[in-house]
Amino acid sequence: MERVETAMARHEAFMDLAIRAAHVAARRGEVPVGAVLAGADGRVLAGGRNRTIGDSDPTAHAEIVAIRRAGRRLGNYRLLNTILYVTVEPCLMCMGAIIHARIEAVIHGAPDPRWGGAGSLYDFSTDPRLNHPVRVIGGIREERCRELMRSFFRARRRMGND
C-alpha cells in the first residue's frame, strides 16, 4: 500500500506545481492552465502555462510550452519515459503533440468536456489507429483545478469579457 500512497503523493506534488503555473497564467489574463513535465527519475524537466494571448500564438497552450522547453533542454523531440502533469485535460491539439513526443503518461486535474482529447470529448490516448498509447489518470487535485477555471471565467464574465 505504501507504493500507491507514494505515487499519489508524487502526483499531487507535481500537480501543485502545475497549479502554481496556472495561477501565474490567470494573473496575466490567460486561461489558467499550467503544466509540468517530469522525467522517470522524478525531476522536473520543464513547466509551462498558457501563453496564447501574451504570445499571440494559438498553439501556446501550457502543455505545448512545457513540451517545447523539455525538447530543447534534452536536445530531443522524443520525450520518452516522461509524465506530463496538467491542471485541465489536454485538448485535441495537445494530445496530438503528446503522442508525437512519445510522452508515457498524462496526469490531469479537471476533465474538459468541451475540448478534452484524453477521454472527455475524444480519447486519443488509446486510439489503436495512432502509433503511441498514452496512459491517462484524471482527477488529481480535481476540485482545486476546477475551481481555478470557474473563478477565472466568473471574473471575466463580471468584467464583460466573454
Side-chain angles (χ1 to χ4, degrees), residues 129-143:
R129 297 168 295 180
L130 302 173
N131 66 338
H132 177 71
V134 178
R135 186 169 45 100
V136 175
I137 298 172
I140 304 299
R141 301 274 199 239
E142 181 174 354
E143 194 49 43

Side-chain angles (χ1 to χ4, degrees), residues 9 11-21 23 36 141 144:
H11 292 333
E12 289 174 347
F14 282 118
M15 188 61 71
D16 288 343
L17 294 173
I19 289 169
R20 277 191 242 160
H23 280 286
V36 171
R141 301 274 199 239
R144 286 179 63 195

Side-chain angles (χ1 to χ4, degrees), residues 96-153:
I98 288 162
I99 291 165
H100 280 288
R102 308 297 194 273
I103 291 171
E104 180 181 319
V106 170
I107 313 294
H108 69 79
D112 187 350
R114 295 182 72 190
W115 291 96
S120 291
L121 182 63
Y122 293 99
D123 191 355
F124 286 179
S125 67
T126 59
D127 190 319
R129 297 168 295 180
L130 302 173
N131 66 338
H132 177 71
V134 178
R135 186 169 45 100
V136 175
I137 298 172
I140 304 299
R141 301 274 199 239
E142 181 174 354
E143 194 49 43
R144 286 179 63 195
C145 295
R146 186 186 317 271
E147 185 51 37
L148 184 57
M149 295 291 281
R150 281 184 186 149
S151 61
F152 176 81
F153 284 109

Side-chain angles (χ1 to χ4, degrees), residues 1 8 20 101 107 162:
M1 194 61 141
M8 183 57 77
R20 277 191 242 160
I107 313 294
D162 291 32

Side-chain angles (χ1 to χ4, degrees), residues 90-101:
C91 71
L92 307 176
M93 174 187 69
C94 292
M95 280 305 294
I98 288 162
I99 291 165
H100 280 288

Side-chain angles (χ1 to χ4, degrees), residues 20-104:
R20 277 191 242 160
H23 280 286
V24 172
R27 284 193 302 273
R28 297 190 176 172
E30 302 277 357
V31 174
V33 179
V36 171
L37 189 69
D41 60 1
R43 289 182 311 137
V44 172
L45 296 173
R49 60 175 171 76
N50 271 6
R51 303 174 57 102
T52 57
I53 297 166
D55 289 0
S56 299
D57 179 356
T59 69
H61 289 196
E63 301 93 323
I64 301 295
V65 171
I67 288 168
R68 287 176 179 159
R69 287 179 175 164
R72 283 191 298 269
R73 179 175 181 185
L74 297 174
N76 196 336
Y77 69 102
R78 295 283 164 90
L79 303 174
L80 303 172
N81 303 312
T82 59
I83 299 174
L84 183 66
Y85 293 85
V86 61
T87 56
V88 177
E89 176 186 355
C91 71
L92 307 176
M93 174 187 69
C94 292
M95 280 305 294
I98 288 162
I99 291 165
H100 280 288
R102 308 297 194 273
I103 291 171
E104 180 181 319

